[in-house]
PDB file of all heavy atoms in Angstrom:
ATOM      1  N   SER A   6     -68.339 -48.578  89.257  1.00  0.00           N
ATOM      2  CA  SER A   6     -67.743 -47.702  88.246  1.00  0.00           C
ATOM      3  C   SER A   6     -66.327 -48.111  87.934  1.00  0.00           C
ATOM      4  O   SER A   6     -65.855 -48.048  86.782  1.00  0.00           O
ATOM      5  CB  SER A   6     -67.749 -46.254  88.741  1.00  0.00           C
ATOM      6  OG  SER A   6     -67.025 -46.145  89.942  1.00  0.00           O
ATOM      7  N   PHE A   7     -65.590 -48.626  88.968  1.00  0.00           N
ATOM      8  CA  PHE A   7     -64.222 -49.100  88.703  1.00  0.00           C
ATOM      9  C   PHE A   7     -64.274 -50.407  87.890  1.00  0.00           C
ATOM     10  O   PHE A   7     -63.513 -50.605  86.887  1.00  0.00           O
ATOM     11  CB  PHE A   7     -63.517 -49.393  90.034  1.00  0.00           C
ATOM     12  CG  PHE A   7     -62.200 -50.108  89.860  1.00  0.00           C
ATOM     13  CD1 PHE A   7     -61.044 -49.430  89.482  1.00  0.00           C
ATOM     14  CD2 PHE A   7     -62.108 -51.472  90.058  1.00  0.00           C
ATOM     15  CE1 PHE A   7     -59.846 -50.075  89.343  1.00  0.00           C
ATOM     16  CE2 PHE A   7     -60.900 -52.145  89.894  1.00  0.00           C
ATOM     17  CZ  PHE A   7     -59.767 -51.461  89.559  1.00  0.00           C
ATOM     18  N   TRP A   8     -65.179 -51.338  88.256  1.00  0.00           N
ATOM     19  CA  TRP A   8     -65.230 -52.651  87.643  1.00  0.00           C
ATOM     20  C   TRP A   8     -65.659 -52.562  86.164  1.00  0.00           C
ATOM     21  O   TRP A   8     -65.116 -53.271  85.333  1.00  0.00           O
ATOM     22  CB  TRP A   8     -66.188 -53.575  88.401  1.00  0.00           C
ATOM     23  CG  TRP A   8     -66.156 -55.000  87.894  1.00  0.00           C
ATOM     24  CD1 TRP A   8     -67.111 -55.623  87.180  1.00  0.00           C
ATOM     25  CD2 TRP A   8     -65.140 -55.957  88.168  1.00  0.00           C
ATOM     26  NE1 TRP A   8     -66.724 -56.906  86.911  1.00  0.00           N
ATOM     27  CE2 TRP A   8     -65.533 -57.156  87.498  1.00  0.00           C
ATOM     28  CE3 TRP A   8     -63.910 -55.946  88.840  1.00  0.00           C
ATOM     29  CZ2 TRP A   8     -64.766 -58.297  87.542  1.00  0.00           C
ATOM     30  CZ3 TRP A   8     -63.162 -57.084  88.889  1.00  0.00           C
ATOM     31  CH2 TRP A   8     -63.571 -58.241  88.229  1.00  0.00           C
ATOM     32  N   TYR A   9     -66.589 -51.670  85.831  1.00  0.00           N
ATOM     33  CA  TYR A   9     -67.104 -51.605  84.494  1.00  0.00           C
ATOM     34  C   TYR A   9     -66.564 -50.429  83.673  1.00  0.00           C
ATOM     35  O   TYR A   9     -66.629 -50.454  82.442  1.00  0.00           O
ATOM     36  CB  TYR A   9     -68.663 -51.518  84.506  1.00  0.00           C
ATOM     37  CG  TYR A   9     -69.311 -52.731  85.076  1.00  0.00           C
ATOM     38  CD1 TYR A   9     -69.836 -52.727  86.345  1.00  0.00           C
ATOM     39  CD2 TYR A   9     -69.391 -53.890  84.326  1.00  0.00           C
ATOM     40  CE1 TYR A   9     -70.470 -53.835  86.916  1.00  0.00           C
ATOM     41  CE2 TYR A   9     -70.027 -55.028  84.838  1.00  0.00           C
ATOM     42  CZ  TYR A   9     -70.533 -55.016  86.109  1.00  0.00           C
ATOM     43  OH  TYR A   9     -71.132 -56.118  86.612  1.00  0.00           O
ATOM     44  N   GLY A  10     -65.980 -49.451  84.402  1.00  0.00           N
ATOM     45  CA  GLY A  10     -65.502 -48.274  83.657  1.00  0.00           C
ATOM     46  C   GLY A  10     -63.968 -48.191  83.508  1.00  0.00           C
ATOM     47  O   GLY A  10     -63.475 -47.703  82.492  1.00  0.00           O
ATOM     48  N   LEU A  11     -63.236 -48.684  84.495  1.00  0.00           N
ATOM     49  CA  LEU A  11     -61.781 -48.570  84.467  1.00  0.00           C
ATOM     50  C   LEU A  11     -61.093 -49.896  84.277  1.00  0.00           C
ATOM     51  O   LEU A  11     -60.085 -50.000  83.529  1.00  0.00           O
ATOM     52  CB  LEU A  11     -61.297 -47.920  85.784  1.00  0.00           C
ATOM     53  CG  LEU A  11     -59.833 -47.449  85.848  1.00  0.00           C
ATOM     54  CD1 LEU A  11     -59.532 -46.503  84.708  1.00  0.00           C
ATOM     55  CD2 LEU A  11     -59.483 -46.836  87.189  1.00  0.00           C
ATOM     56  N   PHE A  12     -61.585 -50.933  84.904  1.00  0.00           N
ATOM     57  CA  PHE A  12     -60.911 -52.219  84.869  1.00  0.00           C
ATOM     58  C   PHE A  12     -60.792 -52.769  83.420  1.00  0.00           C
ATOM     59  O   PHE A  12     -59.714 -53.272  83.048  1.00  0.00           O
ATOM     60  CB  PHE A  12     -61.643 -53.254  85.736  1.00  0.00           C
ATOM     61  CG  PHE A  12     -60.951 -54.554  85.883  1.00  0.00           C
ATOM     62  CD1 PHE A  12     -59.797 -54.674  86.620  1.00  0.00           C
ATOM     63  CD2 PHE A  12     -61.450 -55.678  85.238  1.00  0.00           C
ATOM     64  CE1 PHE A  12     -59.130 -55.894  86.706  1.00  0.00           C
ATOM     65  CE2 PHE A  12     -60.835 -56.904  85.345  1.00  0.00           C
ATOM     66  CZ  PHE A  12     -59.686 -56.999  86.089  1.00  0.00           C
ATOM     67  N   PRO A  13     -61.807 -52.678  82.596  1.00  0.00           N
ATOM     68  CA  PRO A  13     -61.648 -53.191  81.202  1.00  0.00           C
ATOM     69  C   PRO A  13     -60.552 -52.465  80.431  1.00  0.00           C
ATOM     70  O   PRO A  13     -59.986 -53.031  79.482  1.00  0.00           O
ATOM     71  CB  PRO A  13     -63.031 -52.948  80.570  1.00  0.00           C
ATOM     72  CG  PRO A  13     -63.979 -52.917  81.733  1.00  0.00           C
ATOM     73  CD  PRO A  13     -63.200 -52.257  82.828  1.00  0.00           C
ATOM     74  N   LEU A  14     -60.244 -51.220  80.803  1.00  0.00           N
ATOM     75  CA  LEU A  14     -59.250 -50.464  80.044  1.00  0.00           C
ATOM     76  C   LEU A  14     -57.819 -50.891  80.391  1.00  0.00           C
ATOM     77  O   LEU A  14     -56.870 -50.725  79.587  1.00  0.00           O
ATOM     78  CB  LEU A  14     -59.344 -48.962  80.329  1.00  0.00           C
ATOM     79  CG  LEU A  14     -60.702 -48.324  79.971  1.00  0.00           C
ATOM     80  CD1 LEU A  14     -60.663 -46.843  80.381  1.00  0.00           C
ATOM     81  CD2 LEU A  14     -61.008 -48.471  78.489  1.00  0.00           C
ATOM     82  N   VAL A  15     -57.623 -51.470  81.576  1.00  0.00           N
ATOM     83  CA  VAL A  15     -56.262 -51.825  82.032  1.00  0.00           C
ATOM     84  C   VAL A  15     -56.014 -53.302  82.047  1.00  0.00           C
ATOM     85  O   VAL A  15     -54.886 -53.750  82.278  1.00  0.00           O
ATOM     86  CB  VAL A  15     -56.005 -51.238  83.464  1.00  0.00           C
ATOM     87  CG1 VAL A  15     -56.126 -49.728  83.457  1.00  0.00           C
ATOM     88  CG2 VAL A  15     -56.958 -51.815  84.479  1.00  0.00           C
ATOM     89  N   THR A  16     -57.023 -54.124  81.824  1.00  0.00           N
ATOM     90  CA  THR A  16     -56.871 -55.589  81.910  1.00  0.00           C
ATOM     91  C   THR A  16     -55.805 -56.094  80.973  1.00  0.00           C
ATOM     92  O   THR A  16     -54.942 -56.911  81.343  1.00  0.00           O
ATOM     93  CB  THR A  16     -58.230 -56.274  81.627  1.00  0.00           C
ATOM     94  OG1 THR A  16     -59.199 -55.799  82.511  1.00  0.00           O
ATOM     95  CG2 THR A  16     -58.087 -57.784  81.826  1.00  0.00           C
ATOM     96  N   ARG A  17     -55.864 -55.645  79.718  1.00  0.00           N
ATOM     97  CA  ARG A  17     -54.894 -56.133  78.712  1.00  0.00           C
ATOM     98  C   ARG A  17     -53.503 -55.786  79.081  1.00  0.00           C
ATOM     99  O   ARG A  17     -52.568 -56.628  79.006  1.00  0.00           O
ATOM    100  CB  ARG A  17     -55.254 -55.543  77.342  1.00  0.00           C
ATOM    101  CG  ARG A  17     -54.409 -56.100  76.200  1.00  0.00           C
ATOM    102  CD  ARG A  17     -54.837 -55.472  74.893  1.00  0.00           C
ATOM    103  NE  ARG A  17     -54.070 -55.964  73.802  1.00  0.00           N
ATOM    104  CZ  ARG A  17     -54.306 -57.066  73.104  1.00  0.00           C
ATOM    105  NH1 ARG A  17     -55.326 -57.823  73.444  1.00  0.00           N
ATOM    106  NH2 ARG A  17     -53.513 -57.440  72.110  1.00  0.00           N
ATOM    107  N   GLN A  18     -53.251 -54.547  79.580  1.00  0.00           N
ATOM    108  CA  GLN A  18     -51.895 -54.141  79.955  1.00  0.00           C
ATOM    109  C   GLN A  18     -51.464 -54.909  81.192  1.00  0.00           C
ATOM    110  O   GLN A  18     -50.291 -55.270  81.329  1.00  0.00           O
ATOM    111  CB  GLN A  18     -51.895 -52.637  80.217  1.00  0.00           C
ATOM    112  CG  GLN A  18     -50.515 -52.018  80.401  1.00  0.00           C
ATOM    113  CD  GLN A  18     -49.772 -51.914  79.102  1.00  0.00           C
ATOM    114  OE1 GLN A  18     -50.262 -52.306  78.056  1.00  0.00           O
ATOM    115  NE2 GLN A  18     -48.572 -51.394  79.124  1.00  0.00           N
ATOM    116  N   TRP A  19     -52.318 -55.127  82.169  1.00  0.00           N
ATOM    117  CA  TRP A  19     -51.962 -55.877  83.349  1.00  0.00           C
ATOM    118  C   TRP A  19     -51.569 -57.312  83.001  1.00  0.00           C
ATOM    119  O   TRP A  19     -50.618 -57.856  83.581  1.00  0.00           O
ATOM    120  CB  TRP A  19     -53.135 -55.894  84.345  1.00  0.00           C
ATOM    121  CG  TRP A  19     -53.303 -54.608  85.061  1.00  0.00           C
ATOM    122  CD1 TRP A  19     -52.596 -53.411  84.846  1.00  0.00           C
ATOM    123  CD2 TRP A  19     -54.197 -54.314  86.127  1.00  0.00           C
ATOM    124  NE1 TRP A  19     -53.018 -52.451  85.705  1.00  0.00           N
ATOM    125  CE2 TRP A  19     -53.993 -52.965  86.500  1.00  0.00           C
ATOM    126  CE3 TRP A  19     -55.134 -55.037  86.821  1.00  0.00           C
ATOM    127  CZ2 TRP A  19     -54.730 -52.334  87.541  1.00  0.00           C
ATOM    128  CZ3 TRP A  19     -55.881 -54.425  87.820  1.00  0.00           C
ATOM    129  CH2 TRP A  19     -55.650 -53.102  88.209  1.00  0.00           C
ATOM    130  N   LEU A  20     -52.324 -57.891  82.090  1.00  0.00           N
ATOM    131  CA  LEU A  20     -51.991 -59.284  81.668  1.00  0.00           C
ATOM    132  C   LEU A  20     -50.620 -59.312  80.938  1.00  0.00           C
ATOM    133  O   LEU A  20     -49.844 -60.230  81.157  1.00  0.00           O
ATOM    134  CB  LEU A  20     -53.110 -59.802  80.723  1.00  0.00           C
ATOM    135  CG  LEU A  20     -52.924 -61.248  80.206  1.00  0.00           C
ATOM    136  CD1 LEU A  20     -52.810 -62.205  81.390  1.00  0.00           C
ATOM    137  CD2 LEU A  20     -54.036 -61.614  79.286  1.00  0.00           C
ATOM    138  N   ALA A  21     -50.371 -58.302  80.149  1.00  0.00           N
ATOM    139  CA  ALA A  21     -49.104 -58.239  79.453  1.00  0.00           C
ATOM    140  C   ALA A  21     -47.942 -58.083  80.456  1.00  0.00           C
ATOM    141  O   ALA A  21     -46.904 -58.783  80.329  1.00  0.00           O
ATOM    142  CB  ALA A  21     -49.077 -57.064  78.458  1.00  0.00           C
ATOM    143  N   TYR A  22     -48.111 -57.203  81.466  1.00  0.00           N
ATOM    144  CA  TYR A  22     -47.070 -57.078  82.470  1.00  0.00           C
ATOM    145  C   TYR A  22     -46.855 -58.373  83.230  1.00  0.00           C
ATOM    146  O   TYR A  22     -45.753 -58.764  83.573  1.00  0.00           O
ATOM    147  CB  TYR A  22     -47.450 -55.968  83.460  1.00  0.00           C
ATOM    148  CG  TYR A  22     -47.117 -54.581  82.946  1.00  0.00           C
ATOM    149  CD1 TYR A  22     -48.040 -53.565  82.932  1.00  0.00           C
ATOM    150  CD2 TYR A  22     -45.781 -54.278  82.512  1.00  0.00           C
ATOM    151  CE1 TYR A  22     -47.724 -52.272  82.502  1.00  0.00           C
ATOM    152  CE2 TYR A  22     -45.468 -53.007  82.092  1.00  0.00           C
ATOM    153  CZ  TYR A  22     -46.449 -52.015  82.073  1.00  0.00           C
ATOM    154  OH  TYR A  22     -46.105 -50.769  81.659  1.00  0.00           O
ATOM    155  N   SER A  23     -47.933 -59.083  83.575  1.00  0.00           N
ATOM    156  CA  SER A  23     -47.827 -60.322  84.350  1.00  0.00           C
ATOM    157  C   SER A  23     -47.117 -61.384  83.546  1.00  0.00           C
ATOM    158  O   SER A  23     -46.273 -62.107  84.071  1.00  0.00           O
ATOM    159  CB  SER A  23     -49.215 -60.809  84.758  1.00  0.00           C
ATOM    160  OG  SER A  23     -49.876 -59.849  85.539  1.00  0.00           O
ATOM    161  N   LEU A  24     -47.419 -61.482  82.245  1.00  0.00           N
ATOM    162  CA  LEU A  24     -46.718 -62.491  81.426  1.00  0.00           C
ATOM    163  C   LEU A  24     -45.242 -62.124  81.259  1.00  0.00           C
ATOM    164  O   LEU A  24     -44.381 -63.005  81.284  1.00  0.00           O
ATOM    165  CB  LEU A  24     -47.415 -62.568  80.077  1.00  0.00           C
ATOM    166  CG  LEU A  24     -48.811 -63.167  80.035  1.00  0.00           C
ATOM    167  CD1 LEU A  24     -49.428 -63.035  78.637  1.00  0.00           C
ATOM    168  CD2 LEU A  24     -48.789 -64.629  80.479  1.00  0.00           C
ATOM    169  N   TYR A  25     -44.995 -60.882  81.112  1.00  0.00           N
ATOM    170  CA  TYR A  25     -43.599 -60.417  80.986  1.00  0.00           C
ATOM    171  C   TYR A  25     -42.798 -60.736  82.288  1.00  0.00           C
ATOM    172  O   TYR A  25     -41.686 -61.249  82.239  1.00  0.00           O
ATOM    173  CB  TYR A  25     -43.591 -58.933  80.674  1.00  0.00           C
ATOM    174  CG  TYR A  25     -42.206 -58.289  80.677  1.00  0.00           C
ATOM    175  CD1 TYR A  25     -41.175 -58.887  79.959  1.00  0.00           C
ATOM    176  CD2 TYR A  25     -41.981 -57.056  81.320  1.00  0.00           C
ATOM    177  CE1 TYR A  25     -39.910 -58.294  79.953  1.00  0.00           C
ATOM    178  CE2 TYR A  25     -40.720 -56.461  81.273  1.00  0.00           C
ATOM    179  CZ  TYR A  25     -39.699 -57.062  80.580  1.00  0.00           C
ATOM    180  OH  TYR A  25     -38.475 -56.481  80.564  1.00  0.00           O
ATOM    181  N   ARG A  26     -43.402 -60.448  83.405  1.00  0.00           N
ATOM    182  CA  ARG A  26     -42.732 -60.747  84.692  1.00  0.00           C
ATOM    183  C   ARG A  26     -42.627 -62.254  84.887  1.00  0.00           C
ATOM    184  O   ARG A  26     -41.682 -62.755  85.536  1.00  0.00           O
ATOM    185  CB  ARG A  26     -43.484 -60.140  85.844  1.00  0.00           C
ATOM    186  CG  ARG A  26     -43.434 -58.626  85.928  1.00  0.00           C
ATOM    187  CD  ARG A  26     -41.976 -58.144  86.049  1.00  0.00           C
ATOM    188  NE  ARG A  26     -41.241 -58.772  87.128  1.00  0.00           N
ATOM    189  CZ  ARG A  26     -39.996 -58.442  87.469  1.00  0.00           C
ATOM    190  NH1 ARG A  26     -39.382 -57.503  86.801  1.00  0.00           N
ATOM    191  NH2 ARG A  26     -39.352 -59.095  88.422  1.00  0.00           N
ATOM    192  N   GLY A  27     -43.546 -63.053  84.372  1.00  0.00           N
ATOM    193  CA  GLY A  27     -43.431 -64.478  84.479  1.00  0.00           C
ATOM    194  C   GLY A  27     -42.186 -65.006  83.753  1.00  0.00           C
ATOM    195  O   GLY A  27     -41.481 -65.869  84.286  1.00  0.00           O
ATOM    196  N   GLU A  28     -41.921 -64.456  82.577  1.00  0.00           N
ATOM    197  CA  GLU A  28     -40.676 -64.837  81.877  1.00  0.00           C
ATOM    198  C   GLU A  28     -39.461 -64.465  82.683  1.00  0.00           C
ATOM    199  O   GLU A  28     -38.486 -65.216  82.790  1.00  0.00           O
ATOM    200  CB  GLU A  28     -40.706 -64.178  80.519  1.00  0.00           C
ATOM    201  CG  GLU A  28     -39.419 -64.502  79.681  1.00  0.00           C
ATOM    202  CD  GLU A  28     -39.359 -63.686  78.422  1.00  0.00           C
ATOM    203  OE1 GLU A  28     -40.412 -63.124  77.991  1.00  0.00           O
ATOM    204  OE2 GLU A  28     -38.253 -63.575  77.865  1.00  0.00           O
ATOM    205  N   MET A  29     -39.465 -63.257  83.249  1.00  0.00           N
ATOM    206  CA  MET A  29     -38.321 -62.818  84.038  1.00  0.00           C
ATOM    207  C   MET A  29     -38.190 -63.634  85.325  1.00  0.00           C
ATOM    208  O   MET A  29     -37.072 -63.906  85.789  1.00  0.00           O
ATOM    209  CB  MET A  29     -38.478 -61.319  84.358  1.00  0.00           C
ATOM    210  CG  MET A  29     -38.528 -60.455  83.123  1.00  0.00           C
ATOM    211  SD  MET A  29     -38.673 -58.703  83.463  1.00  0.00           S
ATOM    212  CE  MET A  29     -36.999 -58.326  83.955  1.00  0.00           C
ATOM    213  N   ASN A  30     -39.286 -64.038  85.919  1.00  0.00           N
ATOM    214  CA  ASN A  30     -39.204 -64.871  87.121  1.00  0.00           C
ATOM    215  C   ASN A  30     -38.614 -66.266  86.786  1.00  0.00           C
ATOM    216  O   ASN A  30     -37.971 -66.857  87.653  1.00  0.00           O
ATOM    217  CB  ASN A  30     -40.610 -65.067  87.727  1.00  0.00           C
ATOM    218  CG  ASN A  30     -41.019 -63.860  88.538  1.00  0.00           C
ATOM    219  OD1 ASN A  30     -40.213 -63.029  88.902  1.00  0.00           O
ATOM    220  ND2 ASN A  30     -42.313 -63.771  88.848  1.00  0.00           N
ATOM    221  N   LEU A  31     -38.844 -66.743  85.586  1.00  0.00           N
ATOM    222  CA  LEU A  31     -38.284 -68.007  85.235  1.00  0.00           C
ATOM    223  C   LEU A  31     -36.768 -67.915  85.168  1.00  0.00           C
ATOM    224  O   LEU A  31     -36.019 -68.830  85.569  1.00  0.00           O
ATOM    225  CB  LEU A  31     -38.825 -68.431  83.830  1.00  0.00           C
ATOM    226  CG  LEU A  31     -38.426 -69.838  83.389  1.00  0.00           C
ATOM    227  CD1 LEU A  31     -38.965 -70.885  84.345  1.00  0.00           C
ATOM    228  CD2 LEU A  31     -38.980 -70.107  81.988  1.00  0.00           C
ATOM    229  N   ARG A  32     -36.237 -66.801  84.672  1.00  0.00           N
ATOM    230  CA  ARG A  32     -34.798 -66.552  84.688  1.00  0.00           C
ATOM    231  C   ARG A  32     -34.285 -66.471  86.132  1.00  0.00           C
ATOM    232  O   ARG A  32     -33.273 -67.011  86.473  1.00  0.00           O
ATOM    233  CB  ARG A  32     -34.474 -65.284  83.900  1.00  0.00           C
ATOM    234  CG  ARG A  32     -34.760 -65.336  82.416  1.00  0.00           C
ATOM    235  CD  ARG A  32     -34.579 -63.964  81.800  1.00  0.00           C
ATOM    236  NE  ARG A  32     -34.848 -63.980  80.351  1.00  0.00           N
ATOM    237  CZ  ARG A  32     -33.908 -64.096  79.451  1.00  0.00           C
ATOM    238  NH1 ARG A  32     -32.664 -64.320  79.792  1.00  0.00           N
ATOM    239  NH2 ARG A  32     -34.215 -64.103  78.174  1.00  0.00           N
ATOM    240  N   ALA A  33     -35.001 -65.675  86.926  1.00  0.00           N
ATOM    241  CA  ALA A  33     -34.569 -65.478  88.273  1.00  0.00           C
ATOM    242  C   ALA A  33     -34.620 -66.766  89.113  1.00  0.00           C
ATOM    243  O   ALA A  33     -33.759 -66.991  90.004  1.00  0.00           O
ATOM    244  CB  ALA A  33     -35.416 -64.392  88.993  1.00  0.00           C
ATOM    245  N   ALA A  34     -35.588 -67.646  88.834  1.00  0.00           N
ATOM    246  CA  ALA A  34     -35.682 -68.904  89.568  1.00  0.00           C
ATOM    247  C   ALA A  34     -34.512 -69.817  89.368  1.00  0.00           C
ATOM    248  O   ALA A  34     -34.205 -70.718  90.215  1.00  0.00           O
ATOM    249  CB  ALA A  34     -36.961 -69.615  89.170  1.00  0.00           C
ATOM    250  N   THR A  35     -33.808 -69.654  88.268  1.00  0.00           N
ATOM    251  CA  THR A  35     -32.628 -70.503  88.020  1.00  0.00           C
ATOM    252  C   THR A  35     -31.432 -70.186  88.930  1.00  0.00           C
ATOM    253  O   THR A  35     -30.469 -70.957  88.980  1.00  0.00           O
ATOM    254  CB  THR A  35     -32.184 -70.381  86.561  1.00  0.00           C
ATOM    255  OG1 THR A  35     -31.827 -69.053  86.244  1.00  0.00           O
ATOM    256  CG2 THR A  35     -33.303 -70.837  85.613  1.00  0.00           C
TER     257      THR A  35
END
């Protein structure tokens, strides 16, 4: 129920957060 009912609803937002944090990590890595 989590994999087919809830996970598809949050995947796009999780990916957006991960990409956003990737950009911030690039700044922090410097």
